[in-house]
mmCIF file of all heavy atoms in Angstrom:
data_model
loop_
_atom_site.group_PDB
_atom_site.id
_atom_site.type_symbol
_atom_site.label_atom_id
_atom_site.label_comp_id
_atom_site.label_asym_id
_atom_site.label_seq_id
_atom_site.Cartn_x
_atom_site.Cartn_y
_atom_site.Cartn_z
ATOM 1 N N ALA A 425 69.317 122.443 103.352
ATOM 2 C CA ALA A 425 68.630 122.845 102.121
ATOM 3 C C ALA A 425 68.862 124.302 101.780
ATOM 4 O O ALA A 425 68.680 124.712 100.632
ATOM 5 C CB ALA A 425 67.137 122.571 102.249
ATOM 6 N N ALA A 426 69.267 125.098 102.755
ATOM 7 C CA ALA A 426 69.523 126.518 102.502
ATOM 8 C C ALA A 426 70.854 126.755 101.796
ATOM 9 O O ALA A 426 71.131 127.879 101.365
ATOM 10 C CB ALA A 426 69.500 127.296 103.823
ATOM 11 N N LEU A 427 71.673 125.710 101.661
ATOM 12 C CA LEU A 427 72.971 125.857 100.993
ATOM 13 C C LEU A 427 72.816 125.644 99.494
ATOM 14 O O LEU A 427 72.363 124.581 99.050
ATOM 15 C CB LEU A 427 73.978 124.851 101.561
ATOM 16 C CG LEU A 427 74.332 124.998 103.047
ATOM 17 C CD1 LEU A 427 75.315 123.913 103.452
ATOM 18 C CD2 LEU A 427 74.902 126.375 103.349
ATOM 19 N N ASP A 428 73.214 126.627 98.712
ATOM 20 C CA ASP A 428 73.066 126.555 97.260
ATOM 21 C C ASP A 428 73.888 125.428 96.642
ATOM 22 O O ASP A 428 73.547 124.934 95.562
ATOM 23 C CB ASP A 428 73.492 127.878 96.619
ATOM 24 C CG ASP A 428 72.472 128.975 96.838
ATOM 25 O OD1 ASP A 428 71.310 128.636 97.105
ATOM 26 O OD2 ASP A 428 72.838 130.160 96.741
ATOM 27 N N CYS A 429 74.953 125.022 97.287
ATOM 28 C CA CYS A 429 75.835 124.018 96.692
ATOM 29 C C CYS A 429 75.210 122.624 96.686
ATOM 30 O O CYS A 429 75.664 121.736 95.958
ATOM 31 C CB CYS A 429 77.180 123.984 97.407
ATOM 32 S SG CYS A 429 77.072 123.642 99.173
ATOM 33 N N ILE A 430 74.164 122.408 97.484
ATOM 34 C CA ILE A 430 73.528 121.087 97.571
ATOM 35 C C ILE A 430 72.374 121.015 96.582
ATOM 36 O O ILE A 430 71.497 121.879 96.561
ATOM 37 C CB ILE A 430 73.023 120.807 99.002
ATOM 38 C CG1 ILE A 430 74.194 120.788 99.983
ATOM 39 C CG2 ILE A 430 72.259 119.481 99.053
ATOM 40 C CD1 ILE A 430 73.777 120.655 101.431
ATOM 41 N N ASP A 431 72.360 119.957 95.777
ATOM 42 C CA ASP A 431 71.284 119.768 94.812
ATOM 43 C C ASP A 431 70.220 118.799 95.301
ATOM 44 O O ASP A 431 69.037 118.990 95.046
ATOM 45 C CB ASP A 431 71.858 119.269 93.486
ATOM 46 C CG ASP A 431 72.803 120.272 92.860
ATOM 47 O OD1 ASP A 431 72.319 121.315 92.403
ATOM 48 O OD2 ASP A 431 74.023 120.023 92.853
ATOM 49 N N TYR A 432 70.647 117.728 95.990
ATOM 50 C CA TYR A 432 69.702 116.710 96.448
ATOM 51 C C TYR A 432 70.065 116.257 97.850
ATOM 52 O O TYR A 432 71.230 116.028 98.155
ATOM 53 C CB TYR A 432 69.722 115.493 95.512
ATOM 54 C CG TYR A 432 69.457 115.819 94.071
ATOM 55 C CD1 TYR A 432 70.489 115.754 93.136
ATOM 56 C CD2 TYR A 432 68.190 116.198 93.639
ATOM 57 C CE1 TYR A 432 70.250 116.056 91.806
ATOM 58 C CE2 TYR A 432 67.949 116.501 92.306
ATOM 59 C CZ TYR A 432 68.983 116.436 91.399
ATOM 60 O OH TYR A 432 68.753 116.741 90.090
ATOM 61 N N LEU A 433 69.019 116.121 98.676
ATOM 62 C CA LEU A 433 69.186 115.619 100.032
ATOM 63 C C LEU A 433 68.364 114.347 100.198
ATOM 64 O O LEU A 433 67.274 114.217 99.639
ATOM 65 C CB LEU A 433 68.685 116.650 101.045
ATOM 66 C CG LEU A 433 69.558 117.882 101.302
ATOM 67 C CD1 LEU A 433 68.745 118.958 102.015
ATOM 68 C CD2 LEU A 433 70.768 117.517 102.136
ATOM 69 N N LEU A 434 68.884 113.412 100.986
ATOM 70 C CA LEU A 434 68.086 112.257 101.370
ATOM 71 C C LEU A 434 68.550 111.768 102.725
ATOM 72 O O LEU A 434 69.673 112.048 103.160
ATOM 73 C CB LEU A 434 68.171 111.145 100.318
ATOM 74 C CG LEU A 434 69.527 110.504 100.026
ATOM 75 C CD1 LEU A 434 69.749 109.289 100.922
ATOM 76 C CD2 LEU A 434 69.611 110.066 98.576
ATOM 77 N N ALA A 435 67.665 111.075 103.415
ATOM 78 C CA ALA A 435 68.004 110.521 104.729
ATOM 79 C C ALA A 435 68.209 109.016 104.601
ATOM 80 O O ALA A 435 67.562 108.363 103.786
ATOM 81 C CB ALA A 435 66.880 110.815 105.716
ATOM 82 N N PHE A 436 69.144 108.474 105.391
ATOM 83 C CA PHE A 436 69.333 107.015 105.386
ATOM 84 C C PHE A 436 69.438 106.503 106.816
ATOM 85 O O PHE A 436 70.009 107.159 107.693
ATOM 86 C CB PHE A 436 70.530 106.603 104.536
ATOM 87 C CG PHE A 436 71.883 106.960 105.097
ATOM 88 C CD1 PHE A 436 72.660 106.009 105.737
ATOM 89 C CD2 PHE A 436 72.393 108.249 104.954
ATOM 90 C CE1 PHE A 436 73.918 106.330 106.236
ATOM 91 C CE2 PHE A 436 73.645 108.577 105.437
ATOM 92 C CZ PHE A 436 74.415 107.615 106.092
ATOM 93 N N GLU A 437 68.849 105.320 107.028
ATOM 94 C CA GLU A 437 68.695 104.744 108.358
ATOM 95 C C GLU A 437 69.870 103.878 108.774
ATOM 96 O O GLU A 437 70.174 103.735 109.959
ATOM 97 C CB GLU A 437 67.404 103.899 108.376
ATOM 98 C CG GLU A 437 67.075 103.252 109.712
ATOM 99 C CD GLU A 437 66.636 104.272 110.753
ATOM 100 O OE1 GLU A 437 66.040 105.303 110.366
ATOM 101 O OE2 GLU A 437 66.891 104.044 111.945
ATOM 102 N N GLU A 438 70.559 103.291 107.779
ATOM 103 C CA GLU A 438 71.608 102.310 108.076
ATOM 104 C C GLU A 438 72.847 102.984 108.676
ATOM 105 O O GLU A 438 73.045 104.188 108.533
ATOM 106 C CB GLU A 438 72.005 101.560 106.793
ATOM 107 C CG GLU A 438 70.849 100.819 106.124
ATOM 108 C CD GLU A 438 70.012 101.719 105.236
ATOM 109 O OE1 GLU A 438 70.402 102.891 105.004
ATOM 110 O OE2 GLU A 438 68.947 101.253 104.790
ATOM 111 N N ASP A 439 73.683 102.169 109.321
ATOM 112 C CA ASP A 439 74.926 102.693 109.875
ATOM 113 C C ASP A 439 75.944 102.987 108.781
ATOM 114 O O ASP A 439 76.817 103.846 108.932
ATOM 115 C CB ASP A 439 75.526 101.689 110.873
ATOM 116 C CG ASP A 439 74.661 101.532 112.118
ATOM 117 O OD1 ASP A 439 73.802 102.405 112.343
ATOM 118 O OD2 ASP A 439 74.836 100.537 112.835
ATOM 119 N N ARG A 440 75.845 102.242 107.667
ATOM 120 C CA ARG A 440 76.713 102.493 106.523
ATOM 121 C C ARG A 440 75.854 102.833 105.301
ATOM 122 O O ARG A 440 74.757 102.287 105.154
ATOM 123 C CB ARG A 440 77.582 101.263 106.227
ATOM 124 C CG ARG A 440 78.755 101.101 107.175
ATOM 125 C CD ARG A 440 79.556 99.843 106.888
ATOM 126 N NE ARG A 440 79.821 99.625 105.466
ATOM 127 C CZ ARG A 440 80.597 98.650 105.001
ATOM 128 N NH1 ARG A 440 81.185 97.813 105.840
ATOM 129 N NH2 ARG A 440 80.786 98.497 103.708
ATOM 130 N N PRO A 441 76.360 103.690 104.422
ATOM 131 C CA PRO A 441 75.534 104.143 103.295
ATOM 132 C C PRO A 441 75.617 103.261 102.052
ATOM 133 O O PRO A 441 75.500 103.753 100.929
ATOM 134 C CB PRO A 441 76.122 105.539 103.012
ATOM 135 C CG PRO A 441 77.575 105.379 103.308
ATOM 136 C CD PRO A 441 77.642 104.434 104.490
ATOM 137 N N ASP A 442 75.794 101.954 102.225
ATOM 138 C CA ASP A 442 75.970 101.075 101.068
ATOM 139 C C ASP A 442 74.759 101.114 100.132
ATOM 140 O O ASP A 442 74.904 101.147 98.903
ATOM 141 C CB ASP A 442 76.212 99.638 101.530
ATOM 142 C CG ASP A 442 77.567 99.465 102.195
ATOM 143 O OD1 ASP A 442 78.160 100.497 102.581
ATOM 144 O OD2 ASP A 442 78.031 98.331 102.339
ATOM 145 N N ASN A 443 73.530 101.100 100.684
ATOM 146 C CA ASN A 443 72.335 101.139 99.849
ATOM 147 C C ASN A 443 72.242 102.443 99.068
ATOM 148 O O ASN A 443 71.820 102.466 97.912
ATOM 149 C CB ASN A 443 71.080 100.948 100.698
ATOM 150 C CG ASN A 443 70.962 99.544 101.245
ATOM 151 O OD1 ASN A 443 71.517 98.605 100.677
ATOM 152 N ND2 ASN A 443 70.246 99.393 102.346
ATOM 153 N N VAL A 444 72.639 103.531 99.725
ATOM 154 C CA VAL A 444 72.637 104.833 99.062
ATOM 155 C C VAL A 444 73.627 104.840 97.897
ATOM 156 O O VAL A 444 73.305 105.278 96.788
ATOM 157 C CB VAL A 444 72.982 105.965 100.061
ATOM 158 C CG1 VAL A 444 73.137 107.308 99.343
ATOM 159 C CG2 VAL A 444 71.918 106.057 101.141
ATOM 160 N N ILE A 445 74.820 104.345 98.142
ATOM 161 C CA ILE A 445 75.852 104.312 97.095
ATOM 162 C C ILE A 445 75.382 103.463 95.913
ATOM 163 O O ILE A 445 75.538 103.846 94.747
ATOM 164 C CB ILE A 445 77.177 103.781 97.666
ATOM 165 C CG1 ILE A 445 77.750 104.771 98.682
ATOM 166 C CG2 ILE A 445 78.190 103.531 96.543
ATOM 167 C CD1 ILE A 445 78.902 104.217 99.505
ATOM 168 N N SER A 446 74.765 102.313 96.192
ATOM 169 C CA SER A 446 74.304 101.428 95.125
ATOM 170 C C SER A 446 73.214 102.084 94.291
ATOM 171 O O SER A 446 73.148 101.883 93.069
ATOM 172 C CB SER A 446 73.784 100.120 95.726
ATOM 173 O OG SER A 446 74.828 99.426 96.382
ATOM 174 N N ALA A 447 72.342 102.868 94.924
ATOM 175 C CA ALA A 447 71.248 103.519 94.203
ATOM 176 C C ALA A 447 71.706 104.768 93.466
ATOM 177 O O ALA A 447 71.311 105.018 92.326
ATOM 178 C CB ALA A 447 70.127 103.868 95.181
ATOM 179 N N VAL A 448 72.559 105.556 94.101
ATOM 180 C CA VAL A 448 73.015 106.819 93.497
ATOM 181 C C VAL A 448 74.068 106.580 92.426
ATOM 182 O O VAL A 448 74.137 107.292 91.426
ATOM 183 C CB VAL A 448 73.553 107.765 94.600
ATOM 184 C CG1 VAL A 448 74.225 108.994 93.999
ATOM 185 C CG2 VAL A 448 72.414 108.189 95.532
ATOM 186 N N ARG A 449 74.927 105.569 92.623
ATOM 187 C CA ARG A 449 76.020 105.246 91.689
ATOM 188 C C ARG A 449 76.824 106.509 91.355
ATOM 189 O O ARG A 449 76.904 106.944 90.207
ATOM 190 C CB ARG A 449 75.470 104.620 90.404
ATOM 191 C CG ARG A 449 74.673 103.352 90.633
ATOM 192 C CD ARG A 449 74.169 102.754 89.326
ATOM 193 N NE ARG A 449 75.278 102.231 88.550
ATOM 194 C CZ ARG A 449 75.736 100.988 88.662
ATOM 195 N NH1 ARG A 449 75.196 100.154 89.545
ATOM 196 N NH2 ARG A 449 76.745 100.577 87.911
ATOM 197 N N PRO A 450 77.451 107.114 92.366
ATOM 198 C CA PRO A 450 78.136 108.388 92.147
ATOM 199 C C PRO A 450 79.360 108.269 91.256
ATOM 200 O O PRO A 450 80.057 107.245 91.276
ATOM 201 C CB PRO A 450 78.541 108.816 93.564
ATOM 202 C CG PRO A 450 78.700 107.520 94.300
ATOM 203 C CD PRO A 450 77.627 106.625 93.752
ATOM 204 N N ASN A 451 79.602 109.322 90.487
ATOM 205 C CA ASN A 451 80.872 109.408 89.771
ATOM 206 C C ASN A 451 82.003 109.691 90.752
ATOM 207 O O ASN A 451 83.140 109.250 90.562
ATOM 208 C CB ASN A 451 80.821 110.524 88.731
ATOM 209 C CG ASN A 451 79.750 110.299 87.699
ATOM 210 O OD1 ASN A 451 78.667 110.857 87.795
ATOM 211 N ND2 ASN A 451 80.028 109.472 86.710
ATOM 212 N N VAL A 452 81.662 110.461 91.809
ATOM 213 C CA VAL A 452 82.653 110.804 92.839
ATOM 214 C C VAL A 452 82.012 110.612 94.208
ATOM 215 O O VAL A 452 80.907 111.094 94.456
ATOM 216 C CB VAL A 452 83.129 112.268 92.702
ATOM 217 C CG1 VAL A 452 84.228 112.557 93.720
ATOM 218 C CG2 VAL A 452 83.593 112.579 91.295
ATOM 219 N N PHE A 453 82.700 109.890 95.083
ATOM 220 C CA PHE A 453 82.272 109.743 96.470
ATOM 221 C C PHE A 453 83.263 110.514 97.333
ATOM 222 O O PHE A 453 84.480 110.290 97.242
ATOM 223 C CB PHE A 453 82.245 108.273 96.873
ATOM 224 C CG PHE A 453 81.744 108.035 98.271
ATOM 225 C CD1 PHE A 453 80.416 108.279 98.596
ATOM 226 C CD2 PHE A 453 82.590 107.561 99.263
ATOM 227 C CE1 PHE A 453 79.932 108.053 99.879
ATOM 228 C CE2 PHE A 453 82.124 107.332 100.554
ATOM 229 C CZ PHE A 453 80.784 107.576 100.857
ATOM 230 N N VAL A 454 82.753 111.413 98.173
ATOM 231 C CA VAL A 454 83.610 112.336 98.924
ATOM 232 C C VAL A 454 83.536 112.040 100.417
ATOM 233 O O VAL A 454 82.447 111.827 100.969
ATOM 234 C CB VAL A 454 83.189 113.797 98.666
ATOM 235 C CG1 VAL A 454 84.057 114.752 99.490
ATOM 236 C CG2 VAL A 454 83.294 114.129 97.190
ATOM 237 N N LYS A 455 84.684 112.033 101.065
ATOM 238 C CA LYS A 455 84.760 111.923 102.518
ATOM 239 C C LYS A 455 85.805 112.907 103.032
ATOM 240 O O LYS A 455 86.624 113.421 102.276
ATOM 241 C CB LYS A 455 85.140 110.496 102.948
ATOM 242 C CG LYS A 455 84.044 109.482 102.742
ATOM 243 C CD LYS A 455 82.807 109.741 103.592
ATOM 244 C CE LYS A 455 83.014 109.372 105.033
ATOM 245 N NZ LYS A 455 81.777 109.484 105.845
ATOM 246 N N GLY A 456 85.787 113.117 104.354
ATOM 247 C CA GLY A 456 86.726 114.042 104.965
ATOM 248 C C GLY A 456 88.140 113.509 104.981
ATOM 249 O O GLY A 456 88.387 112.292 104.865
ATOM 250 N N GLY A 457 89.085 114.410 105.140
ATOM 251 C CA GLY A 457 90.497 114.070 105.088
ATOM 252 C C GLY A 457 90.989 113.233 106.240
ATOM 253 O O GLY A 457 92.158 112.818 106.262
ATOM 254 N N ASP A 458 90.101 112.953 107.227
ATOM 255 C CA ASP A 458 90.505 112.066 108.326
ATOM 256 C C ASP A 458 90.366 110.599 107.944
ATOM 257 O O ASP A 458 90.676 109.705 108.729
ATOM 258 C CB ASP A 458 89.687 112.362 109.588
ATOM 259 C CG ASP A 458 88.185 112.404 109.333
ATOM 260 O OD1 ASP A 458 87.783 112.529 108.160
ATOM 261 O OD2 ASP A 458 87.420 112.337 110.311
ATOM 262 N N TYR A 459 89.889 110.347 106.692
ATOM 263 C CA TYR A 459 89.804 108.975 106.173
ATOM 264 C C TYR A 459 90.903 108.741 105.141
ATOM 265 O O TYR A 459 91.475 109.676 104.585
ATOM 266 C CB TYR A 459 88.453 108.728 105.495
ATOM 267 C CG TYR A 459 87.303 108.509 106.439
ATOM 268 C CD1 TYR A 459 86.534 109.583 106.885
ATOM 269 C CD2 TYR A 459 86.962 107.220 106.863
ATOM 270 C CE1 TYR A 459 85.454 109.385 107.734
ATOM 271 C CE2 TYR A 459 85.887 107.009 107.709
ATOM 272 C CZ TYR A 459 85.137 108.094 108.150
ATOM 273 O OH TYR A 459 84.077 107.889 108.994
ATOM 274 N N THR A 460 91.164 107.471 104.877
ATOM 275 C CA THR A 460 92.012 107.045 103.765
ATOM 276 C C THR A 460 91.279 105.919 103.042
ATOM 277 O O THR A 460 90.279 105.384 103.551
ATOM 278 C CB THR A 460 93.383 106.538 104.251
ATOM 279 O OG1 THR A 460 93.176 105.332 105.006
ATOM 280 C CG2 THR A 460 94.090 107.590 105.108
#
Side-chain angles (χ1 to χ4, degrees):
L427 297 179
D428 286 339
C429 58
I430 298 174
D431 297 290
Y432 304 108
L433 285 164
L434 62 91
F436 70 101
E437 181 71 31
E438 301 83 8
D439 293 343
R440 283 178 45 174
D442 290 17
N443 290 336
V444 174
I445 293 168
S446 296
V448 171
R449 301 181 69 89
N451 299 98
V452 184
F453 183 68
V454 178
K455 288 296 285 186
D458 50 343
Y459 283 90
T460 66

